[in-house]
Amino acid sequence: MQIKAVVYQSATGHTKRYAEMFAAKTGLPLYTLQEAKKALSKGDEIIYFGWILSGKIQGFEPAWTDYEVKAVASVGLYPDSARFRNHIGRNNIIIDMEYFHLRGGIKTGELKGGAKILMKIMMKTIEKKLEKGQQVTPEELEMHDAYKNSADFVSEEQLAGIYAWYDSYCADAQ
Ligand SMILES: Cc1cc2nc3c(=O)[nH]c(=O)nc-3n(C[C@H](O)[C@H](O)[C@H](O)COP(=O)(O)O)c2cc1C
């Protein structure tokens, strides 16, 4: 079997940019999860890029239900670390595939719907803690700062690991 496409889900564009860069470099077709329904068949091999909301990689579950996900890349605000991987491992079932994490960013003005509401609730909670002098986690502080000022950590260099994996995967498949 051969990887057929890059499939992604993005709310404010950071994940889309990574998926576009990856597809441009590898020559693989690129689809949103929605577009993939028409373009791909069940069981096709894919690489999936999804943004993270409260630890959950968005669209990942429907992606692995319908396709053979060979690698998944999460895109979130926080940097990769053992603590971060623990947070992802508790919220997503990542079995028999490669996992990569890429830093995205926050486009405060572009949040919509449930994500916007959830973010507002998160900000209120953090601000209350700060007002009362209560302890906040480094992640809460990072999110608070990114929300206030917007943040963009997208860079092609972060794709180095997934490019290397893809090259060796293609070589092995031949
Ligand atoms: C409500 C909400 C919850 C989030 N939760 C997390 C999280 O748990 N971990 C993380 O790393 N990033 C989290 N983020 C940050 C997003 O994953 C980040 O903004 C990502 O780059 C968005 O990608 P997109 O622009 O493709 O939609 C959260 C963002 C929002 C709005």
Side-chain angles (χ1 to χ4, degrees):
M1 284 258 276
Q2 201 187 348
I3 291 175
K4 288 265 172 62
V6 177
V7 179
Y8 73 94
Q9 195 167 92
S10 178
T12 61
H14 303 89
T15 311
K16 182 174 188 227
R17 278 157 64 202
Y18 278 121
E20 282 172 348
M21 282 183 226
F22 189 80
K25 178 108 171 179
T26 57
L28 287 167
L30 176 67
Y31 305 113
T32 61
L33 197 54
Q34 191 64 25
E35 291 164 348
K37 280 187 194 165
K38 279 193 182 161
L40 298 176
S41 305
K42 289 211 171 199
D44 277 350
E45 287 193 0
I46 63 157
I47 298 177
Y48 186 73
F49 287 69
W51 73 286
I52 308 169
L53 187 152
S54 301
K56 221 166 161 35
I57 305 170
Q58 299 301 290
F60 178 49
E61 222 167 283
W64 64 248
T65 303
D66 283 350
Y67 311 110
E68 180 84 25
V69 179
K70 289 291 163 191
V72 55
S74 61
V75 179
L77 177 69
Y78 307 133
D80 206 349
S81 66
R83 183 176 151 91
F84 179 82
R85 286 195 173 233
N86 194 19
H87 155 78
I88 291 297
R90 272 185 277 118
N91 291 287
N92 304 275
I93 303 165
I94 302 179
I95 301 170
D96 285 342
M97 66 184 80
E98 289 295 315
Y99 170 65
F100 299 92
H101 176 63
L102 309 162
R103 275 195 101 180
I106 299 284
K107 271 193 199 152
T108 306
E110 290 189 25
L111 287 171
K112 290 188 187 87
K116 183 174 175 175
I117 295 167
L118 204 57
M119 182 60 104
K120 285 211 162 150
I121 295 169
M122 279 161 60
M123 287 306 117
K124 270 208 174 140
T125 309
I126 298 167
E127 270 158 18
K128 269 202 181 140
K129 282 190 190 174
L130 288 170
E131 271 166 31
K132 290 183 184 166
Q134 290 172 347
Q135 208 177 349
V136 291
T137 64
E139 288 84 4
E140 285 175 321
L141 264 188
E142 177 119 42
M143 190 62 88
H144 185 258
D145 192 47
Y147 182 78
K148 291 282 159 210
N149 305 308
S150 286
D152 187 348
F153 298 104
V154 175
S155 69
E156 179 126 35
E157 294 83 77
Q158 291 186 63
L159 288 166
I162 188 163
Y163 286 148
W165 167 80
Y166 182 70
D167 284 347
S168 73
Y169 183 84
C170 291
D172 287 351
Q174 274 171 7

